[in-house]
Amino acid sequence: MKYDVLQIAGAAVMVIAGQSVFRLLIDHGNTGLLGGLGLGFPVLLTAYAALTTAGVLLGGWSHSRAKALGRRN
């Protein structure tokens, strides 16, 4: 059950941060959820890219752990 929750959380982080990367690349003024921090464009882009990567890795890791336990095909 915990791997299911982790996989959902990883997918949610990946989707939200990935969308923010594209939004920031198209409109540099639209800083998204991290805009309140007052950081510059390169720092925000790096942060969103790191969050997207973390979401992908968390989702993949939790899927492989659930698969090893026989919960996935």
Side-chain angles (χ1 to χ4, degrees):
M1 177 72 179
K2 73 177 177 181
Y3 295 119
D4 299 331
V5 173
L6 287 175
Q7 189 173 1
I8 292 168
V13 168
M14 177 192 65
V15 167
I16 293 169
Q19 180 182 8
S20 297
V21 166
F22 285 114
R23 182 178 293 152
L24 188 62
L25 285 173
I26 291 171
D27 180 14
H28 298 293
N30 192 351
T31 55
L33 293 173
L34 298 179
L37 297 177
L39 302 172
F41 172 76
V43 177
L44 282 175
L45 186 63
T46 304
Y48 283 131
L51 284 171
T52 303
T53 304
V56 168
L57 292 174
L58 179 63
W61 175 80
S62 60
H63 178 76
S64 64
R65 291 296 301 157
K67 193 172 184 177
L69 293 174
R71 295 187 52 127
R72 301 282 188 275
N73 294 335

